[in-house]
Amino acid sequence: MNQTEEQVIALGATFEAALQVDKLARTGQYSEGPVTCLIRSIFDRSPDRVIDIYGGSPYQIRHGLQALEAMLERDTASLQREALRYVMNLLALERQLAKREDMLQVLGQRLDQAGKQVEHFGILHDNVMAGLGGTYQDTLSTLKLRIQVHGDMRYLQQPDVANQIRALLLAGIRSARLWRQLGGHRWQLLISRRKLLDACKNVLHG
């Protein structure tokens, strides 16, 4: 797998997180397979390969990769506009986080604590989601850029759903950070669009 394909996987996972946030906000439901994969990715901080972070295969993030493909193809019929807005916000928020060494340190400590909860309760347990949601709230939501999540207030006002959304935004930040660590930049989405699209097709259909 080449570097562009690795970038596409990280960006596809950022899209997957955004799609699941949008689904939760509108329906109060999420897709268990992709969400399990995304929440696990938060805790895998030193993988041998990028794809290993997402379970060794692009299967669980395929809808995110398809949404990325639609954006790169400028396919307006298939474009997931709300998810795209979240992705652009996540990429911008990660840039702000990268400049805050103090916050990165706090995040690391809080994720170690959350990792112990995972061992005790399991990855999608409400206590784990509450821990991750609280971590997001105490760190990333204090930065200048605030991600506004739109949806049905009946769901958004439920504490469990709010925690799940914040936990997924944290997973989105994890993947956005990986995208940048792999050399990804927002300008690439314009300048290297064709190269990224080819890589996206290879990962999805290769």
Side-chain angles (χ1 to χ4, degrees):
M1 190 169 282
N2 63 38
Q3 189 182 12
T4 310
E5 286 168 355
E6 289 186 334
Q7 287 177 354
V8 155
I9 283 165
L11 199 53
T14 312
F15 265 94
E16 187 67 53
L19 288 170
Q20 296 298 332
V21 164
D22 186 41
K23 185 175 179 178
L24 259 170
R26 287 185 296 101
T27 69
Q29 307 287 317
Y30 59 72
S31 306
E32 194 171 315
V35 170
T36 301
C37 170
L38 290 166
I39 300 300
R40 275 198 202 290
S41 76
I42 297 172
F43 299 101
D44 193 346
R45 289 187 255 173
S46 52
D48 292 330
R49 302 176 308 157
V50 168
I51 193 70
D52 291 343
I53 297 173
Y54 306 106
S57 136
Y59 180 74
Q60 296 294 1
I61 57 166
R62 68 193 182 281
H63 295 302
L65 286 162
Q66 286 161 357
L68 171 60
E69 184 180 34
M71 183 200 77
L72 293 167
E73 280 190 325
R74 297 178 179 158
D75 176 0
T76 49
S78 306
L79 195 64
Q80 305 274 353
R81 285 182 172 76
E82 202 64 58
L84 177 58
R85 182 176 69 80
Y86 295 145
V87 168
M88 290 305 161
N89 281 336
L90 285 164
L91 295 181
L93 192 59
E94 191 280 326
R95 295 292 300 140
Q96 289 184 15
L97 172 64
K99 296 171 187 149
R100 290 285 303 274
E101 199 57 50
D102 57 329
M103 192 175 283
L104 285 166
Q105 214 165 354
V106 172
L107 262 175
Q109 291 162 357
R110 293 285 293 268
L111 291 179
D112 288 342
Q113 291 166 12
K116 292 188 179 84
Q117 283 186 305
V118 170
E119 286 168 30
H120 192 68
F121 296 110
I123 196 82
L124 295 183
H125 193 277
D126 287 346
N127 290 7
V128 172
M129 291 297 199
L132 291 173
T135 298
Y136 181 89
Q137 215 169 3
D138 296 342
T139 55
L140 288 146
S141 72
T142 66
L143 293 170
K144 205 183 299 180
L145 174 69
R146 303 288 293 275
I147 298 182
Q148 297 292 324
V149 175
H150 298 194
D152 187 326
M153 290 314 291
R154 285 175 303 173
Y155 303 118
L156 291 172
Q157 285 170 347
Q158 291 176 21
D160 284 352
V161 172
N163 283 328
Q164 289 160 356
I165 285 172
R166 291 187 191 107
L168 280 164
L169 289 173
L170 194 58
I173 288 287
R174 162 72 176 113
S175 294
R177 189 161 173 71
L178 184 63
W179 147 258
R180 198 170 54 77
Q181 286 168 339
L182 290 163
H185 290 278
R186 283 171 68 159
W187 53 259
Q188 269 180 280
L189 300 175
L190 295 170
I191 295 171
S192 308
R193 188 174 65 86
R194 175 53 56 187
K195 190 177 173 186
L196 285 167
L197 180 58
D198 290 344
C200 193
K201 286 182 188 299
N202 284 347
V203 170
L204 267 171
H205 315 295

